[in-house]
Amino acid sequence: MSETRVAIVTGGSGGIGRVVAERLAKDGQTVVVTYAGNPQRAEEAVTAITAAGGTASAFQADVADEQQVAALFEDTEKRYGGIDVVVHTAGIMLLSPLADLDLADFDRMHRTNVRGTFVVDQQAVRRLRPGGALINFSTSVTHIALPNYTAYAATKGAVDGMTLILAKELRGRDITVNAVAPGPTATPLYLDGKDQETIDRMAKFAPLERLGEPADIAEAVSWLAGPARWVNGQVIYVNGGVV
């Protein structure tokens, strides 16, 4: 492995993605914060990383657009010499019972969560250096099976399938492919639209009796992105023991 690892973090300007970007930078990795449409938040993330002594830059790309994602990877290679880690946190979540879901919302989630993962993974496996790590983002809802999450869980089930098969397709490359599957985590994406009673009830799901924090998820990503070289082809449930 190269002395200084270079990481691309999609969705790195906010929520779990930003905390992951900051954690990888703290670990000594050079980080490219990829964002969809808010340059101010991305620059805030870069500023926070550099202020803490890390190295980072921002790049705008729609993860479902193959040309923009290819440009992201090309720019990263030219700027930093190569790519060792790709963490694909970018995703959207729209909740509804299956019977009532607007199919336009289903298509939006499919485009970002399924096509976006496929496009990012395709560039990653073409470009990652030996010793590299690809980390997708799934969800514990595929396991917990909560009502109203049908369409979202369906998109993340596709991510699980891609992850497990891709690990085998990379035989002989010395590249690990895993997915992190967070449970209820205190992010704006998760908390949006939920009343306090719902939040308190969800916090009791885990035996540890709290919601996850983005730092809890970033801890698992840090492990997979660095020392965990014998963990491969796995979906890691990072949820405090929710079943």
Side-chain angles (χ1 to χ4, degrees):
M1 290 184 281
S2 63
E3 188 173 334
T4 300
R5 288 165 76 75
V6 177
I8 291 173
V9 180
T10 69
S13 63
I16 292 173
R18 170 153 177 186
V19 178
V20 165
E22 292 179 351
R23 174 56 192 266
L24 293 183
K26 184 179 177 181
D27 291 343
Q29 301 201 31
T30 295
V31 179
V32 177
V33 175
T34 308
Y35 66 99
N38 193 327
Q40 181 178 343
R41 284 205 316 168
E43 286 305 325
E44 287 171 358
V46 169
T47 299
I49 288 170
T50 54
T55 302
S57 59
F59 195 98
Q60 183 175 15
D62 172 359
V63 294
D65 184 310
E66 63 271 32
Q67 293 180 334
Q68 292 183 29
V69 172
L72 159 68
F73 278 76
E74 288 166 6
D75 182 80
T76 302
E77 286 181 329
K78 288 178 182 176
R79 187 183 298 244
Y80 299 117
I83 303 163
D84 302 286
V85 175
V86 174
V87 185
H88 180 49
T89 78
I92 59 174
M93 180 172 66
L94 305 169
L95 303 183
S96 168
L98 184 148
D100 302 327
L101 182 70
D102 187 325
L103 287 176
D105 286 343
F106 181 83
D107 290 342
R108 280 181 60 203
M109 277 194 289
H110 190 277
R111 183 180 186 278
T112 298
N113 297 355
V114 180
R115 179 186 171 89
T117 300
F118 196 96
V119 169
V120 170
D121 284 9
Q122 190 172 63
Q123 287 296 321
V125 300
R126 290 173 179 174
R127 298 173 185 268
L128 279 168
R129 295 189 282 206
L134 170 58
I135 302 157
N136 288 323
F137 261 64
S138 180
T139 175
S140 289
V141 176
T142 57
H143 189 59
I144 305 168
L146 294 174
N148 300 325
Y149 286 79
T150 321
Y152 178 70
T155 67
K156 293 301 188 175
V159 172
D160 290 354
M162 279 188 266
T163 301
L164 301 181
I165 294 170
L166 194 51
K168 295 183 177 180
E169 291 183 349
L170 293 186
R171 176 180 291 275
R173 293 270 307 276
D174 189 24
I175 294 169
T176 61
V177 185
N178 295 288
V180 168
T185 305
T187 66
L189 176 71
Y190 178 77
L191 297 175
D192 183 42
K194 292 182 174 68
D195 59 31
Q196 191 60 45
E197 181 184 356
T198 301
I199 293 168
D200 291 343
R201 187 175 71 252
M202 296 300 291
K204 294 292 186 182
F205 272 27
L208 299 175
E209 295 193 338
R210 67 173 176 85
L211 292 176
E213 295 293 337
D216 296 319
I217 314 305
E219 180 78 23
V221 173
S222 170
W223 181 62
L224 292 171
R229 298 307 304 165
W230 197 236
V231 180
N232 190 27
Q234 304 296 318
V235 178
I236 308 293
Y237 293 94
V238 187
N239 60 24
V242 175
V243 294

